[in-house]
Amino acid sequence: MLPLVRRHGHHVSFFLSSFLGSFLLSSTRNDPVALMLMGFAIVVWGFSWIVMKYMTAWIGPFDLVFWRCVLAFVVLLGIQLSVGQPFHVPPMGPTVAVAVLQTVGFQALGQLGLTIGGGAGQVVLLAYTMPFWAAAIAWPVLGERPTRLHMLAFALAAAGLLLVIAPWKGMGNVLALIPGLAAGLCWGGGVVVSKKLFQERPPAMLNFITWQMLLGSLLCLPLTWALPQRPLVWSVELIMGLAYMAVLASALGWWLWLSVVRRVSVAVVGMSSLGVPVLAVILAWLLLGEEPDAATLAGIGCIVLGLVTVNLAALRPVRD
């Protein structure tokens, strides 16, 4: 792996510096706390796709979602009780909707795409079509009309995804395409539901996330029984992977994500979160040997430009 890192290190440095620069550009006049939290979430979730790909050797997709939710619920409940916050019932309609769409739907479909043969970089990029779904749903539901700069950012990101996916070369296992795109749709819908909830009846953040993990485990449990998947093989690697997915990707990642959703528009959240697949592609390149070709590198560049553009849009006042 080290020779690969040395050989392509200048490419990696360029994309990472461009990616971080897009956030620093916005932090001067936008919400710097939201941008910092989003940056942490991108790192945690970008690496989680590499962990998820490794874990396909020991656990099925629905077992993984179930166990990460159970463990995250235990951790979050312990934290919540230790700081004296009551474990009370949040608004159940939107809470269950977010659990179905994001906590279970996005995670299970994304892991299913990895399990049935999709590369980590390919599946994560398909799953992160979510900004387009989120913007499309938020326009009629939340009244967040995209600006011209937003539309340019969407176009750049769409071109980037197209270059990375390269359908003209064949998608390999076509079955991996359907779960990835469906995962993006689920997450986009969940973003809009979360935003609407925070606008109307803001729940206590920690309590809401704890309920997400509880509902996620309850909703996923029937799937572990009813749907076929590989047998569970307990190992040190599996335990370490579950610890990362439960504590960092689920518990910490959810807190970071929902903290950002409360602060900025769906369009900014959705487009900025494209940093996750950019980072995941780079990590898959370095750690899994999924070396991108010229079209993929150009696609990543388009996505970075989309990030810069959407952050520029956040700096400008909306004009009717």
Side-chain angles (χ1 to χ4, degrees), residues 294-311:
T296 301
L297 292 174
I300 295 174
C302 287
I303 293 173
V304 171
L305 288 176
L307 283 166
V308 174
T309 304
V310 78
N311 283 316

Side-chain angles (χ1 to χ4, degrees), residues 29-317:
R29 292 172 60 188
N30 202 1
D31 188 335
V33 175
L35 294 169
M36 180 185 68
L37 294 175
M38 176 59 78
F40 283 130
I42 286 170
V43 172
V44 169
W45 279 344
F47 189 72
S48 73
W49 286 89
I50 310 303
V51 176
M52 289 162 63
K53 183 63 177 180
Y54 273 121
M55 292 175 70
T56 59
W58 296 285
I59 191 170
F62 309 109
D63 281 334
L64 173 57
V65 177
F66 170 74
W67 281 108
R68 69 182 285 185
C69 286
V70 169
L71 295 174
F73 169 70
V74 172
V75 171
L76 288 167
L77 182 62
I79 294 174
Q80 186 172 343
L81 297 178
S82 67
V83 298
Q85 289 192 17
F87 182 61
H88 56 81
V89 179
M92 286 306 294
T95 302
V96 172
V98 173
V100 170
L101 292 170
Q102 287 187 323
T103 310
V104 175
F106 178 82
Q107 298 298 337
L109 288 166
Q111 186 66 23
L112 181 61
L114 294 173
T115 301
I116 61 180
Q122 183 187 62
V123 172
V124 68
L125 282 160
L126 290 171
Y128 274 79
T129 55
M130 50 79 62
F132 312 115
W133 302 114
I137 298 170
W139 190 350
V141 174
L142 302 179
E144 293 188 1
R145 183 177 181 179
T147 66
R148 291 181 179 179
L149 276 178
H150 283 134
M151 298 305 295
L152 175 60
F154 295 159
L156 287 168
L161 288 172
L162 183 64
L163 286 168
V164 172
I165 296 170
W168 55 87
K169 297 181 181 179
M171 292 297 295
N173 189 346
V174 180
L175 291 177
L177 172 64
I178 299 173
L181 289 174
L185 175 58
C186 285
W187 189 272
V191 169
V192 175
V193 174
S194 300
K195 187 72 175 181
K196 189 173 180 63
L197 173 62
F198 289 136
Q199 288 177 348
E200 296 177 352
R201 292 174 293 172
M205 180 69 71
L206 182 56
N207 183 69
F208 181 77
I209 302 171
T210 304
W211 270 93
Q212 283 301 307
M213 297 302 108
L214 174 60
L215 290 173
S217 60
L218 294 176
L219 291 168
C220 202
L221 183 59
L223 301 180
T224 65
W225 296 333
L227 299 178
Q229 56 182 328
R230 68 153 298 138
L232 185 62
V233 180
W234 288 103
S235 65
V236 174
E237 293 86 352
L238 176 60
I239 293 172
M240 292 175 63
L242 285 174
Y244 182 91
M245 298 306 297
V247 177
L248 295 180
S250 293
L252 177 61
W254 260 96
W255 178 81
L256 291 170
W257 173 260
L258 291 176
S259 297
V260 172
V261 169
R262 288 197 306 176
R263 291 174 174 268
V264 297
S265 71
V266 166
V268 175
V269 171
M271 287 300 298
S272 296
S273 67
L274 277 175
V276 175
V278 170
L279 181 59
V281 167
I282 293 172
L283 291 174
W285 177 6
L286 298 179
L287 302 179
L288 301 179
E290 297 178 7
E291 185 171 355
D293 57 15
T296 301
L297 292 174
I300 295 174
C302 287
I303 293 173
V304 171
L305 288 176
L307 283 166
V308 174
T309 304
V310 78
N311 283 316
L312 287 174
L315 304 180
R316 296 179 59 178

